[in-house]
Amino acid sequence: MDERRVVRVSKFLAKHLRHRPERIGLTLDAEGWADVPELLAAAARNSFPLTRDELDHVVAVNDKQRFQVDGGRIRAVQGHSLPVELNLSPTLPPSFLYHGTTNRALESIRRDGLLPMGRQSVHLSADPETARRVGARRRGEPVVLIVLARRMAAEGHEFRVSFNGVWLVESVPPGYLCE
Ligand code: HQG
């Protein structure tokens, strides 16, 4: 399977397992799981034929381990706009976490803090290099913000860490951000 096809399949899976399952007539359970045979049938019906082997390959080689397969089911491990219960336990974060964004969002972030925007949580990285890559996906100059995560946790904010190591929190008030 060539790299371009891997990326196309990964984007197809991310779109339907995080955001729009109904577009292909797929249903996710409350924890975000889809039945793999149902997903493959839905993909075929929607002009995106995909085999089980291809799906397993994309899950295995995925650069960010975005998906989790458990026998006959699959889900995205983070990034949802749909309300899903990932059943992750609150976890004590390190002192600092990082958020990659752009200069275009800074003014509003300084005022309102980090908000989940279209997703269910604010996504934070464990290291500044990863955060820089997240910020570089967007138009504008990438900016890495430091989040005083341990202090936030001590003051009652719950952090969770996804299966692929992305930290999730409901929001980050401006007082916990450093530039
Ligand atoms: C910004 C990717 C204005 C925020 C990544 C970001 C991640 C604000 C954008 C995951 C704001 C939301 C998530 C405020 C936040 N005012 N802008 N108050 N608060 N923002 O894509 O963190 O490759 O929903 O800075 O690697 O960029 O898809 O979040 O720029 O892990 O697996 O609003 O998605 O993973 O954008 O990315 P997003 P994100 P995948």
Side-chain angles (χ1 to χ4, degrees):
M1 201 178 191
D2 70 29
E3 181 55 26
R4 282 204 353 242
R5 169 90 176 144
V6 170
V7 171
R8 272 195 74 212
V9 171
S10 177
K11 285 184 188 281
F12 177 89
L13 294 175
K15 176 170 182 181
H16 298 105
L17 295 173
R18 290 173 174 176
H19 310 297
R20 307 285 307 275
E22 75 289 349
R23 262 191 101 238
I24 55 168
L26 185 69
T27 327
L28 308 185
D29 73 10
E31 298 176 350
W33 294 103
D35 180 70
V36 171
E38 268 177 37
L39 168 64
L40 299 179
R45 278 199 313 274
N46 287 272
S47 315
F48 200 92
L50 178 67
T51 66
R52 172 78 204 231
D53 281 352
E54 285 180 307
L55 180 120
D56 287 339
H57 179 72
V58 169
V59 171
V61 303
N62 202 261
D63 57 343
K64 285 167 70 178
Q65 296 294 302
R66 292 177 176 88
F67 310 104
Q68 182 179 13
V69 168
D70 171 30
R73 42 186 211 156
I74 181 170
R75 72 176 175 180
V77 299
Q78 38 85 195
H80 298 83
S81 57
L82 289 169
V84 292
E85 179 43 76
L86 293 173
N87 279 328
L88 302 168
S89 310
T91 303
L92 188 65
S95 299
F96 307 116
L97 288 170
Y98 304 88
H99 180 81
T101 187
T102 72
N103 59 337
R104 297 154 61 91
L106 264 187
E107 193 182 318
S108 147
I109 292 173
R110 285 186 188 125
R111 187 184 60 231
D112 301 332
L114 291 172
L115 300 173
M117 309 304 278
R119 305 194 196 246
Q120 291 291 314
S121 312
V122 169
H123 288 57
L124 304 173
S125 308
D127 62 85
E129 295 75 26
T130 305
R132 180 156 294 277
R133 283 196 294 276
V134 173
R137 286 155 53 240
R138 309 210 161 270
R139 211 146 56 84
E141 285 299 308
V143 173
V144 174
L145 301 173
I146 302 169
V147 176
L148 303 178
R150 188 61 76 81
R151 182 183 300 173
M152 267 183 82
E155 293 173 6
H157 296 263
E158 283 189 343
F159 287 78
R160 291 175 167 77
V161 58
S162 72
F163 186 71
N164 67 344
V166 175
W167 286 84
L168 306 171
V169 68
E170 209 172 290
S171 64
V172 179
Y176 298 108
L177 289 169
C178 307
E179 289 176 26

